[in-house]
Amino acid sequence: MPWGLLLVGGLVVWWLSSVESGIEATIGSEPARKVANRQPTELELKLLFLPVLFLFLLYHFHLQSNPGVAIANKNKTMKPLYRLNIVPSLPEQLTPLWELGHNLWWTWSKETIRTLYQLDPETWTESQRDPLRFWASLRPDQLDALIADEQLRGRIERVREQFEGYLSDAAWFGQTHGESPLQVAYFSAEFGLTESLRIYSGGLGVLAGDHLKAASDLGVPLVGVGLLYREGYFHQALNADGWQIEQNPENDFYQMPVQPVHARDGEHLTIEVPFAHGLVQARLWQVQVGRVGLYLLDTNLDENAPADRDITARLYGGDAAMRIQQEILLGIGGLRALQAVGVEPTVCHINEGHSAFLALERIRRLMAEHGYSFATAREASIVGNVFTTHTPVAAGNDWFPADLVEAHLGHFREWLGLSHEEFIGLGRVDPRDSHADFCMTVLALRLSGRANGVSRLHGAVSRRIWQGLWPDFSEHEIPIAHVTNGVHLHTWVSLEMAELLDRHLGDAWHFASAHERDWDPVYHIPDRALWDTHQHRRKRLIDVTRHHLRQQMQSYGAPAAKIERALARLDPEVLTIGFARRFATYKRGNLIFRNIERLKALFSDSQQPLQILFAGKAHPRDDAGKELIRQIVHLARQAPFNGRIFFLQDYDMNLARYLVQGCDVWLNNPRRPLEASGTSGMKAAVNGVLNVSVFDGWWDEACDKHAGWTIGRGEDYDDEHYQDEVESNSLYDLLETEVIPLFYQRDADGLPGGWIGRMKETIAQLAPQYNAHRMVREYVEGFYLPGQARFEELAADRERVQRLTHWKSHVRSKWAQVQIGAVDAEFPRLLKVGMQVPLCAAVALGELAPEDVRVEIYAGRLNAQREFAQTEVYPLKLAGHNGDGTYHFVGTFTCAAAGSHGYTLRVVPSHPDLQNPLEMGLVHWARG
């Protein structure tokens, strides 16, 4: 405030005080005592008010003349007039690496990572392995020194040439499938691509990131669709008691490898997403992942109401209402975003149920564009939808109350022309159950042409969970297949291991060859070379662990001396076990502590020492998971575990990388069969880390390779406590008798030959199979291309899809008329393997035609309860009819194997355009 204004204010205050003194003097007189309690007169009030008004007007005039002061006083969190994104001023010689920072190809380019690390290891680490932050952190004198380094300029040029070659070279998809019109859109609520882009929480997101990377390597025409969260997933801190504390710092998108998507006018492209309360604006961002683009939606715009801006605030945050809004944005908004950028997918991959609403948006668009009915648009669109479920427990899927769905999607339901019960029934296991909740997984299964679990065992578990959608069919026939997950090798294999593989395997491993013979040279790697490589990675892990734990303990005020005492026993030469994953109770992070005395005996052996590193986050609302972490922290402080067992807070991709590359053993002991896949063990395996795991997830099929150890025999238990007891004892037995002795059994050269042999076996047998290239190829050839072909066929032939719709409606309406009559078969008293017995069945079809159905023999081995254990299906042929709607079908029952067998007959719908005879859920079985 200017001195003149201060002077005027002071005079006014003096005048007021003078008036006040006069009044006080008057009141002090005898006459005044008579009126001491009277109200001030109007004149007196004016005398007091006018100076105050004068001062206010003078101050207001000052603010008008100085608007900056006015804004500052009105709102201390004022917003700038313009946003300026300022980038580092880099010399021309270094700009290729800056530009490359916006394409996440660098995250799996070993040459790029090595170059950046060697420029300044400390700054690279502090910048969280983010090239954009790295360059912004370097001082001008450092940059000057770098451009003067001729060798560095040569390395930068090599990186640039490698990148350009990567983008231009022919890839697998083009070489194998030519000019296919396939266009895949891969929808996921989270993507784990790099630790500097925090829009992931754990395994689901990292798998999605690996899927994009592998699709890029293979040249698959694919784009990703997700949400750009302002806070992402929480950062984890532990207090002195070991209790998890969540922190949610905001992301700065302009300092992350995301870039705005621009409209034709050059402005940031936004779309409108219809919600029940009105339109919500969503801004589009893009992340480039090699050849693949990832589009992300962001509602944090000034044009939106505060509640709408928060839709993209946190990953998996908020209540059920927030969750359904995020899923509307992802599914419906995500498909509209692709349309806005000119991408028309022929196949949409729904990665977990979060984005299942996209199937409804595809239907709505076909109805609007072609005038289709809901039923016809459904037939035309579902063939182009692929759904992957990741959850092995029904309760773990997204379930919403029917009224919540109606409140948020009632307007959308009206566009589709569906009643409330019809619409909610799409997400109910039994559409007729008016009290059931709406499940996103059920919606995805109903509106997808193909569905799968993420391991062989998980496929079987998923068929059992969702059998209620096909109640009249046996469990093994439920149309949910499996594609076992894989990991992106180039992202997860260490720099040192990559160099070793380059020397001995050449380019074969670069393309993640699925042929084990291409990996046979692993067995010829010299033991010393492989062991020294692994020793280096373990030492690096321990160094990083010390640094991480020092900061962790300092954060809750531990004294320096106590910290150093705690870290002193960490040893880079000691057998190191890693256990890192989401801390849910079913993953049993505390199983190894079940028998403390046996564990103490292992840790008391000074000749064969042991150390364990734990890491992982519990969901913010999972107090049981948090308590599990706290228990481990407390146990780790007791002798003899103190200094040998640690819990590392804030598990992320960076910490995961050090752990899977540097541990000796990767421990995984969930309660079978609750682990859908478990990709962390795959990441460890490609680095030669040995798995110790239960028969669950991917290990249920990988353990046949004999490359690690298995806890238990894969038994199923009803009593969880008894299961924990049995399997903890199995774990102790393995550690005591096999794992620890093998690690410390050294030859004359000081090498653990038996251990190294298992390392080679692990890499050579598991890496060819459990990688993301194999996984994506399976999706392309088994799911994407067949779905795309069917989608193109139906989309191009309006009459064909309408005929299919009408046919399905006709068959459903007449299905009750189908009856299986007499079945004639002459079985000899003694049946021998190889015999063929003719069958003839009379089937009444009512108003259906013979070509509308398929009559089948359903035969197989029986168990002790006379139930089918293994079955085969054999079609019968039409042999004639009686003229009264009864037809005769004939076939042959083949005695394929010895043992107790049985057979029955059934009738299912049949049509050339049915993907699967079970898709309509209709069947008639013969009755005895």
Side-chain angles (χ1 to χ4, degrees):
M1 184 180 295
W3 289 110
L5 186 58
L6 288 172
L7 179 60
V8 173
L11 291 173
V12 171
V13 171
W14 172 81
W15 184 82
L16 285 173
S17 63
S18 299
V19 172
E20 182 179 286
S21 299
I23 293 175
E24 288 175 352
T26 304
I27 291 177
S29 64
E30 182 63 26
R33 283 194 290 269
K34 297 179 181 179
V35 293
N37 297 321
R38 72 175 176 83
Q39 297 295 319
T41 66
E42 183 178 352
L43 178 60
E44 289 171 341
L45 288 173
K46 288 179 179 179
L47 288 172
L48 290 171
F49 175 73
L50 287 175
V52 175
L53 177 62
F54 172 76
L55 183 59
F56 171 78
L57 292 174
L58 186 63
Y59 182 61
H60 178 69
F61 174 79
H62 171 68
L63 296 182
Q64 292 293 335
S65 304
N66 300 272
V69 175
I71 294 173
N73 284 275
K74 181 180 179 181
N75 182 6
K76 293 184 179 180
T77 58
M78 62 181 176
K79 294 185 178 180
L81 184 61
Y82 298 105
R83 170 144 193 162
L84 304 175
N85 185 33
I86 302 173
V87 301
S89 178
L90 296 180
E92 183 179 351
Q93 297 92 327
L94 301 179
T95 52
L97 289 181
W98 168 262
E99 295 169 356
L100 190 54
H102 287 91
N103 189 313
L104 296 186
W105 171 81
W106 71 262
T107 62
W108 69 95
S109 165
K110 302 303 182 187
E111 181 67 22
T112 306
I113 295 172
R114 188 183 297 107
T115 298
L116 292 169
Y117 174 78
Q118 292 178 351
L119 291 180
D120 189 327
E122 184 176 349
T123 302
W124 175 246
T125 302
E126 290 176 352
S127 66
Q128 298 181 333
R129 287 171 43 94
D130 180 358
L132 304 182
R133 293 182 185 178
F134 175 76
W135 290 117
S137 301
L138 295 180
R139 302 185 309 273
D141 61 305
Q142 290 177 294
L143 296 175
D144 291 340
L146 292 177
I147 61 173
D149 187 336
E150 185 175 345
Q151 184 178 7
L152 172 63
R153 294 200 303 270
R155 295 185 67 175
I156 293 175
E157 181 62 21
R158 284 197 302 275
V159 168
R160 185 188 63 79
E161 291 174 353
Q162 287 177 6
F163 178 58
E164 292 177 353
Y166 175 86
L167 295 180
S168 60
D169 288 348
W172 168 81
F173 184 85
Q175 294 173 338
T176 308
H177 300 289
E179 298 297 323
S180 169
L182 177 68
Q183 177 59 68
V184 181
Y186 184 92
F187 287 72
S188 182
E190 52 174 305
F191 287 90
L193 292 157
T194 173
E195 56 269 30
S196 62
L197 184 58
R198 289 183 172 271
I199 54 172
Y200 67 94
S201 70
L204 175 68
V206 175
L207 173 79
D210 282 6
H211 195 109
L212 298 194
K213 293 173 182 178
S216 172
D217 291 343
L218 298 171
V220 179
L222 179 146
V223 297
V225 182
L227 303 181
L228 187 57
Y229 303 97
R230 187 168 73 250
E231 296 177 0
Y233 202 55
F234 71 92
H235 288 266
Q236 177 197 51
L238 301 182
N239 66 14
D241 188 46
W243 187 258
Q244 173 178 292
I245 300 170
E246 295 87 31
Q247 301 169 341
N248 296 92
E250 292 194 353
N251 288 320
D252 182 356
F253 301 152
Y254 292 93
Q255 298 299 315
M256 296 165 63
V258 297
Q259 293 181 300
V261 177
H262 294 291
R264 291 182 179 178
D265 60 3
E267 295 296 318
H268 200 152
L269 180 62
T270 61
I271 62 167
E272 294 180 340
V273 184
F275 281 78
H277 61 277
L279 294 175
V280 174
Q281 305 290 319
R283 185 167 42 191
L284 300 190
W285 301 78
Q286 184 175 14
V287 178
Q288 198 62 36
V289 188
R291 298 180 176 97
V292 167
L294 167 61
Y295 294 98
L296 302 171
L297 285 77
D298 160 31
T299 63
N300 186 27
L301 285 78
D302 291 339
E303 296 85 347
N304 288 331
D308 295 333
R309 297 181 66 171
D310 284 343
I311 293 175
T312 54
R314 293 182 184 177
L315 172 60
Y316 304 143
D319 55 12
M322 175 58 71
R323 190 68 167 261
I324 199 172
Q325 289 179 51
Q326 289 184 333
E327 297 183 359
I328 290 170
L329 180 66
L330 176 61
I332 297 173
L335 204 59
R336 294 188 177 203
L338 292 182
Q339 187 178 28
V341 297
V343 175
E344 293 292 341
T346 55
V347 171
C348 289
H349 191 156
I350 303 169
N351 188 45
E352 194 59 295
H354 309 124
S355 59
F357 289 135
L358 73 84
L360 296 174
E361 173 67 3
R362 294 194 90 180
I363 291 172
R364 185 203 64 80
R365 285 180 59 182
L366 285 174
M367 293 174 68
E369 294 170 3
H370 300 286
Y372 287 161
S373 66
F374 175 85
T376 301
R378 174 178 176 171
E379 293 300 333
S381 64
I382 62 174
V383 294
N385 294 336
V386 172
F387 170 56
T388 297
T389 175
H390 293 261
T391 308
V393 181
N397 295 270
D398 279 342
W399 298 81
F400 297 117
D403 57 351
L404 183 69
V405 178
E406 177 67 23
H408 284 85
L409 286 162
H411 64 294
F412 201 88
R413 171 184 62 75
E414 293 174 357
W415 292 345
L416 298 175
L418 298 178
S419 68
H420 171 78
E421 289 303 317
E422 288 173 329
F423 185 76
I424 300 299
L426 292 171
R428 285 172 168 161
V429 175
D430 181 358
R432 298 165 297 181
D433 183 357
S434 60
H435 300 291
D437 284 346
F438 183 99
C439 179
M440 296 298 286
T441 296
V442 172
L443 178 68
L445 287 169
R446 280 226 167 87
L447 298 182
S448 296
R450 287 168 173 79
N452 69 281
V454 291
S455 68
R456 182 178 64 193
L457 178 60
H458 182 235
V461 170
S462 298
R463 289 189 288 273
R464 181 169 69 250
I465 292 174
W466 304 112
Q467 186 178 8
L469 275 71
W470 297 269
D472 296 321
F473 292 93
S474 62
E475 182 180 301
H476 77 274
E477 287 189 289
I478 302 306
I480 301 177
H482 80 273
V483 175
T484 302
N485 284 343
V487 299
H488 189 249
L489 299 186
H490 297 280
T491 294
W492 295 106
V493 73
S494 71
L495 284 170
E496 296 79 10
M497 185 64 74
E499 291 173 349
L500 197 62
L501 295 176
D502 283 343
R503 289 199 298 272
H504 294 276
L505 275 73
D507 290 340
W509 83 276
H510 286 192
F511 302 102
S513 171
H515 301 295
E516 289 189 9
R517 64 178 179 273
D518 290 334
W519 293 79
D520 283 346
V522 168
Y523 293 107
H524 304 298
I525 297 175
D527 286 3
R528 172 62 66 185
L530 181 58
W531 187 243
D532 285 351
T533 296
H534 181 64
Q535 289 272 76
H536 175 79
R537 290 308 310 174
R538 192 190 315 108
K539 182 181 183 304
R540 179 65 177 157
L541 168 62
I542 297 305
D543 289 343
V544 169
T545 298
R546 286 198 183 105
H547 178 75
H548 190 97
L549 287 170
R550 190 172 285 111
Q551 291 185 323
Q552 178 175 320
M553 289 187 276
Q554 287 172 349
S555 69
Y556 58 74
K562 182 178 180 180
I563 293 174
E564 296 311 315
R565 282 198 305 272
L567 301 182
R569 295 182 68 198
L570 272 173
D571 190 337
E573 301 296 326
V574 166
L575 172 61
T576 304
I577 297 176
F579 183 98
R581 52 193 36 83
R582 181 167 59 89
F583 258 75
T585 53
Y586 79 87
K587 292 180 182 285
R588 299 190 297 183
N590 61 347
L591 185 68
I592 198 169
F593 294 100
R594 186 170 181 83
N595 189 325
I596 290 291
E597 295 308 313
R598 289 190 72 175
L599 190 62
K600 282 183 177 180
L602 291 176
F603 275 85
S604 300
D605 187 345
S606 60
Q607 300 302 310
Q608 297 182 335
L610 178 67
Q611 56 195 12
I612 307 178
L613 301 177
F614 287 91
K617 298 177 180 179
H619 189 278
R621 290 190 291 273
D622 183 6
D623 284 346
K626 294 179 184 180
E627 176 60 24
L628 197 59
I629 294 172
R630 195 186 72 85
Q631 289 175 9
I632 292 173
V633 171
H634 279 255
L635 287 166
R637 293 171 179 170
Q638 300 177 12
F641 311 131
N642 54 320
R644 291 293 195 194
I645 296 180
F646 289 98
F647 192 100
L648 308 178
Q649 69 181 22
D650 208 22
Y651 183 49
D652 66 358
M653 289 183 69
N654 185 44
L655 188 54
R657 192 178 297 108
Y658 288 111
L659 286 165
V660 300
Q661 293 172 0
C663 285
D664 300 296
V665 170
W666 197 253
L667 179 60
N668 184 44
N669 44 234
R671 200 171 271 121
R672 174 187 162 98
L674 301 182
E675 184 79 273
S677 181
T679 52
S680 63
M682 303 177 191
K683 296 161 190 158
V686 302
N687 286 285
V689 177
L690 306 187
N691 276 267
V692 174
S693 178
V694 300
F695 279 94
D696 202 6
W698 78 290
W699 194 249
D700 183 71
E701 55 198 82
C703 62
D704 294 340
K705 304 289 185 180
H706 306 292
W709 291 274
T710 303
I711 302 168
R713 293 283 181 262
E715 308 94 337
D716 293 326
Y717 298 90
D718 294 328
D719 186 334
E720 291 183 353
H721 294 288
Y722 180 67
Q723 180 180 4
D724 292 350
E725 184 68 20
V726 171
E727 293 181 346
S728 64
N729 284 323
S730 175
L731 173 57
Y732 296 132
D733 290 343
L734 284 174
L735 293 174
E736 291 167 351
T737 63
E738 296 191 42
V739 178
I740 297 175
L742 187 66
F743 181 85
Y744 286 106
Q745 185 179 338
R746 305 300 166 99
D747 60 19
D749 295 323
L751 297 175
W755 190 276
I756 295 170
R758 282 193 179 242
M759 289 179 65
K760 293 178 180 180
E761 192 176 64
T762 292
I763 298 169
Q765 295 190 3
L766 300 183
Q769 180 64 19
Y770 298 100
N771 64 77
H773 285 195
R774 184 272 313 156
M775 175 186 72
V776 171
R777 285 195 297 264
E778 284 190 26
Y779 277 117
V780 168
E781 297 183 328
F783 292 74
Y784 296 165
L785 288 174
Q788 181 269 332
R790 294 280 295 138
F791 182 80
E792 289 290 315
E793 288 174 4
L794 295 182
D797 191 340
R798 178 188 179 96
E799 294 183 359
R800 181 175 177 178
V801 69
Q802 288 179 329
R803 286 196 301 269
L804 176 60
T805 305
H806 295 152
W807 176 84
K808 282 190 172 183
S809 177
H810 172 68
V811 169
R812 285 194 177 96
S813 66
K814 309 300 181 185
W815 192 250
Q817 300 175 3
V818 176
Q819 298 293 331
I820 300 176
V823 179
D824 296 326
E826 295 184 4
F827 286 92
R829 178 168 297 180
L830 183 63
L831 287 172
K832 295 183 179 181
V833 174
M835 279 187 174
Q836 293 186 330
V837 179
L839 294 171
C840 181
V843 181
L845 296 179
E847 297 177 61
L848 296 180
E851 57 269 23
D852 292 333
V853 301
R854 191 164 85 175
V855 182
E856 300 172 331
I857 299 174
Y858 187 86
R861 188 181 299 275
L862 301 179
N863 60 22
Q865 289 75 39
R866 298 187 65 188
E867 299 169 338
F868 285 111
Q870 300 172 352
T871 57
E872 296 288 342
V873 174
Y874 308 95
L876 276 65
K877 295 181 179 179
L878 178 65
H881 64 93
N882 295 342
D884 60 352
T886 300
Y887 295 82
H888 299 282
F889 293 83
V890 298
T892 301
F893 175 82
T894 301
C895 301
S900 178
H901 289 71
Y903 81 94
T904 186
L905 268 69
R906 73 181 185 187
V907 181
V908 295
S910 178
H911 190 278
D913 283 332
L914 280 183
Q915 289 190 100
N916 187 309
L918 278 64
E919 70 178 69
M920 294 179 65
L922 300 176
V923 62
H924 268 292
W925 293 93
R927 298 183 178 181

